[in-house]
Amino acid sequence: MTSLRSRLAAGWIVASVRYGIVRTLLVWRFLSDYGVRPLAFGAIELASSALYGWASARLVLAIVDRRALLRPAALTLVGYLAPDVYIFASAARFPSDLLATVVGIAVASLVISAIGLARSIRVRRQIGRAHV
């Protein structure tokens, strides 16, 4: 991986972990009364955030370089879904308004992640063309 690619991938991992820290604090504040253990969620979230950042950077590069996508796509999906799966598996019953909020946040973050990945692919393709 080139130096620029390494820096971009590292930046994406750092951004993913920072987002995971924010999510952990929000879960601690709003979901701990409903059976979600904040420390367990935090451990899952931070590990998953690092995995997501690493795997999604690899996925973008695989798409740009037209390489095999299955492994980085599967790891990206696992890294993305694991914390949300934990929330729904561990939570007692959420009030309907809180459930709607949690699902809404999960859907919104999925859309934002997809847009971010698409943007990363487009930027890296443009960078690649500029260096040809």
Side-chain angles (χ1 to χ4, degrees):
M1 197 179 316
T2 67
S3 178
L4 176 60
R5 284 182 168 203
S6 296
R7 286 193 316 268
L8 291 171
W12 188 248
I13 293 167
V14 169
S16 296
V17 171
R18 284 182 178 166
Y19 177 72
I21 291 169
V22 171
R23 278 182 39 123
T24 299
L25 294 173
L26 290 172
V27 163
W28 199 308
R29 169 68 176 94
F30 295 106
L31 301 182
S32 61
D33 292 340
Y34 298 99
V36 179
R37 294 185 356 226
L39 292 177
F41 176 82
I44 292 167
E45 175 65 43
L46 295 179
S48 294
S49 294
L51 173 63
Y52 173 79
W54 179 84
S56 61
R58 296 299 181 278
L59 177 61
V60 167
L61 295 175
I63 291 169
V64 169
D65 296 341
R66 291 181 168 80
R67 291 183 281 126
L69 302 176
L70 184 59
R71 184 168 187 238
L75 291 173
T76 298
L77 189 61
V78 167
Y80 181 82
L81 290 177
D84 292 330
V85 168
Y86 173 76
I87 285 175
F88 289 108
S90 68
R93 187 173 162 92
F94 284 137
S96 59
D97 58 336
L98 183 60
L99 178 62
T101 301
V102 170
V103 170
I105 290 170
V107 170
S109 65
L110 177 62
V111 170
I112 291 167
S113 293
I115 291 169
L117 285 172
R119 184 173 293 147
S120 293
I121 291 165
R122 188 175 61 249
V123 166
R124 280 161 186 82
R125 283 184 174 157
Q126 290 171 348
I127 290 170
R129 280 189 225 116
H131 288 98
V132 173

